[in-house]
Amino acid sequence: QVQLAESGGGLVQAGGSLRLSCAASGSIRIINAMCWYRQAPGKHRELVATITSGGSTNYADSVKGRFTTSRDNAKNTVTLQMNSLNPEDTAVYYCNADVTYFSGVYRYRADFWGQGTQVTVSS
């Protein structure tokens, strides 16, 4: 049993900053790559940022230079620092993790999703 929980969403004015966190819990052996996605009303879910187990990062062009993702392996958490926010960043943000975990006496590897957290940027 593995669960992801996002937190830190809310309402912020244009030009402001917000920090999102994603915490993983359960019978976790190791968390491999972790990603942030977002989905605005009427649009497809898009990849925002990724971070590998070694700490390498990659960002969508729309957020490059404004967003930064980092991870704390000891706490099984990943963070998305969002600066210079604009109304186009308004969306539900989701955390995704590639997890190696235990179920009974067996070991598995699979992707897990958080429930999402709402980010609203006002003009």
Side-chain angles (χ1 to χ4, degrees):
Q1 187 81 1
V2 177
Q3 294 181 332
L4 303 181
E6 300 97 334
S7 62
L11 176 64
V12 65
Q13 291 182 319
S17 298
L18 208 60
R19 184 189 297 269
L20 305 183
S21 295
C22 175
S25 61
S27 302
I28 300 171
R29 172 64 178 85
I30 191 171
I31 301 178
N32 305 298
M34 302 186 75
C35 303
W36 287 98
Y37 290 80
R38 68 183 182 186
Q39 187 167 20
K43 301 186 68 176
H44 296 292
R45 188 172 299 183
E46 65 172 334
L47 179 63
V48 175
T50 63
I51 183 166
T52 69
S53 60
S56 298
T57 58
N58 192 34
Y59 302 93
D61 290 339
S62 59
V63 306
K64 192 171 298 182
R66 300 187 297 120
F67 291 10
T68 303
T69 187
S70 61
R71 62 190 291 167
D72 186 334
N73 292 330
K75 297 181 179 180
N76 288 333
T77 60
V78 62
T79 299
L80 183 67
Q81 177 66 46
M82 305 184 295
N83 299 323
S84 301
L85 287 165
N86 58 65
E88 288 68 46
D89 295 316
T90 296
V92 177
Y93 284 71
Y94 297 91
C95 177
N96 175 270
D98 174 10
V99 181
T100 299
Y101 65 100
F102 291 98
S103 181
V105 299
Y106 301 103
R107 185 176 67 189
Y108 301 89
R109 181 171 178 174
D111 289 333
F112 292 88
W113 290 89
Q115 82 289 342
T117 184
Q118 175 70 233
V119 172
T120 302
V121 184
S122 62
S123 59

